[in-house]
Each structure stands twice: as C-alpha cells, then as structure tokens.
Amino acid sequence: MGTVRKIKRKPKKTKSLRNAKVLACDVFAGAGGFSLGAHLAGIDVAAAIEWDRYACQTYKANLIDTGLTPAHLFEEDITKLVPTKVKASCGFDEAPCDILWADPLPGFFRAPIE
C-alpha cells in the first residue's frame, strides 16, 4: 500500500474584501463544501461559522491554509455568537453580505419535542 501525502500549497495573499464582487457568509460550514463551490464560482466567503472542531480543522486545512478563501472561521456555537462580532471581523461594515448560506444537516432540526 502506498502512503498518502498532504499537498502543500503556499497560501495566497488575502485580498481586500472591498474589491470583491459578491460576499458570502457560510453558516453551519462543516468541512467547507459551500465555501469551495463559492470560490469556484468567483464568490468570496468572508465568514464561516461551525461549532465542530474537527470540521473546523478540515475547513482550515483545505480552504484557509491553502489560500482558497479569505474567510474568517468562527469555531463557535451559533446560538452564542454575537452578530456584531461577525460583522466587525469580516468587513461587512465596509461591504454588505450578499449571500447567507445556512444548510444544516436534517438531524439539527429533529430534536425530540415534548
């Protein structure tokens, strides 16, 4: 069996979000599927929110460390995250968020109701 090697890429310089055509925020980001698709479509993801530390590690390794996205990754529970913190950290006071993507897994909504 062969060994798997990690592809090393040099991070790109983070570009100013002021010059971005379309800005997005990826809520329940997981490993970054939407963020990758947005990047391929020419959309800059300024913020990604995910509480699972393993998903955050994957997101960071695949998207931020490689320079594919200038996203600020918030590894926090969304119910405790202050929106003004996201706005200030990601430049949404300079340019509006054009796309807010929130696609949680179906299990997120299937809590028992009593």
Side-chain angles (χ1 to χ4, degrees):
M1 293 180 76
T3 59
V4 177
R5 293 183 299 156
K6 184 176 179 180
I7 298 172
K8 294 184 181 182
R9 296 183 183 127
K10 291 183 181 179
K12 295 179 184 176
K13 289 185 180 181
T14 303
K15 56 185 171 183
S16 171
L17 294 177
R18 285 185 190 174
N19 300 326
K21 292 180 183 175
V22 178
L23 287 180
C25 180
D26 190 356
V27 184
F28 305 108
F34 168 77
S35 294
L36 178 60
H39 165 75
L40 295 173
I43 298 168
D44 284 333
V45 177
I49 304 166
E50 175 59 51
W51 70 272
D52 183 81
R53 72 176 167 142
Y54 298 111
C56 286
Q57 288 171 356
T58 301
Y59 189 102
K60 187 174 182 309
N62 290 338
L63 297 165
I64 296 173
D65 292 347
T66 59
L68 291 179
T69 182
H72 181 98
L73 180 60
F74 294 90
E75 188 176 342
E76 299 183 41
D77 181 341
I78 196 163
T79 63
K80 296 177 176 78
L81 186 63
V82 180
T84 53
K85 179 181 176 182
V86 176
K87 184 178 177 180
S89 298
C90 300
F92 290 137
D93 51 352
E94 298 172 11
C97 177
D98 300 305
I99 300 172
L100 178 63
W101 181 260
D103 188 22
L105 298 172
F108 183 81
F109 290 109
R110 293 191 182 160
I113 300 172
E114 296 186 35

